[in-house]
Amino acid sequence: MKREIIQTKDGSTTIYLPDWEESYHSKYGAIQEAYHVFIKNGFSLFQGKPITILEIGFGTGLNAFITCLEAKKTLQKVHYVGVEAYPVALSEALKMNYAEEISPDSIQIYEKLHQTEWEVSHAINNYFSLTKRKQFFQEIEDRESFDLIYFDAFGFRVQPELWGESIFAKMYQALKPKGVLVTYACRTSIKRAMLAAGFEVEKLPGAPGKREMLRAFKEA
């Protein structure tokens, strides 16, 4: 499938798939969407204690990168598991400008996220460890292992099978009691699938260019 690197409206880059008319991040701003959805409305709920995070769609590593920077800033231990069935090539990932846009002196951290071996846990710094798993989302069988899930799969329009009840049942199973799932998406069918899987669900204001997003909670 053809792939292009494009610039989004906040100056940060993303990968665009013209055959699908789909990009890895919002065209309105890759970095600002990532901070809004996953840090502001997800990570920030768990300040002051160790946290385990599962990312559905490791992709370019942007979400892992900003979470690693936040963990250092808050002096918070984070173990991060990124699941990706079709990893982005190292050469392609290193063309992303996230470090230059966010923290130029952290470019080695971004590179390390992509250079580390898959299926093995690596300490990226004193606060953040990363395990990358090459795995289809349908194969996830973790049980009560994560405090927070970043659900960042391709959109419903191109991959509706990733937004159904069966997938969210796996997410519910993977979360610890009182765990949280956040996603950029907000579609009635997605909310229904989350509710059917057992989640409590709320709508929140979306990132720039998107009206709403969803946050889901697992009961204690």
Side-chain angles (χ1 to χ4, degrees):
M1 187 179 293
K2 185 179 180 182
R3 301 157 70 85
E4 301 173 356
I5 294 175
I6 64 170
Q7 188 176 70
T8 66
K9 287 187 177 180
D10 69 355
S12 55
T13 52
T14 190
I15 297 172
Y16 178 67
L17 308 176
D19 292 343
W20 281 2
E21 297 183 346
E22 181 81 354
S23 57
Y24 276 63
H25 309 97
S26 171
K27 65 183 180 181
Y28 296 100
I31 288 174
Q32 66 182 7
E33 177 188 53
Y35 271 104
H36 178 85
V37 175
F38 302 111
I39 302 301
K40 178 182 177 181
N41 290 299
F43 184 76
S44 66
L45 302 180
F46 296 89
Q47 294 299 306
K49 62 180 181 179
I51 181 176
T52 53
I53 299 174
L54 173 66
E55 181 182 15
I56 302 301
F58 184 78
T60 63
L62 172 58
N63 297 330
F65 179 56
I66 62 174
T67 302
C68 183
L69 298 182
E70 289 297 312
K72 185 177 180 181
K73 186 186 303 182
T74 60
L75 307 181
Q76 190 171 353
K77 293 281 188 179
V78 175
H79 179 60
Y80 196 101
V81 176
V83 176
E84 180 62 61
Y86 300 101
V88 171
L90 176 62
S91 60
E92 198 169 27
L94 297 184
K95 293 177 182 178
M96 299 294 105
N97 67 350
Y98 305 138
E100 293 91 333
E101 290 291 313
I102 300 171
S103 176
D105 61 350
S106 298
I107 191 166
Q108 290 182 331
I109 291 176
Y110 180 72
E111 292 176 350
K112 190 174 182 180
L113 294 173
H114 286 281
Q115 292 166 343
T116 54
E117 184 182 355
W118 289 72
E119 315 300 339
V120 179
S121 179
H122 299 271
I124 304 300
N125 59 27
N126 291 335
Y127 300 98
F128 187 93
S129 64
L130 170 68
T131 302
K132 295 184 294 185
R133 296 188 341 207
K134 188 176 180 181
Q135 185 180 30
F136 290 104
F137 305 153
Q138 294 90 337
E139 298 171 343
I140 293 172
E141 296 293 346
D142 301 88
R143 290 182 177 273
E144 296 192 357
S145 301
F146 302 99
D147 300 290
L148 176 62
I149 293 176
Y150 293 170
F151 199 90
D152 201 17
F154 282 129
F156 182 92
R157 180 181 61 84
V158 296
Q159 289 193 306
E161 69 277 9
L162 301 183
W163 298 89
E165 181 183 344
S166 62
I167 292 291
F168 287 116
K170 287 182 176 293
M171 299 300 101
Y172 191 90
Q173 175 180 281
L175 281 172
K176 298 175 184 179
K178 297 185 179 181
V180 179
L181 180 151
V182 285
T183 184
Y184 65 89
C186 188
R187 186 183 272 251
T188 300
S189 62
I190 295 173
K191 182 179 179 181
R192 286 175 180 161
M194 290 177 172
L195 290 169
F199 284 105
E200 296 180 5
V201 185
E202 64 177 343
K203 291 182 180 181
L204 298 171
K210 296 184 179 180
R211 191 161 59 90
E212 295 174 316
M213 58 166 282
L214 292 174
R215 182 163 63 190
F217 298 88
K218 182 175 181 177
E219 293 181 354

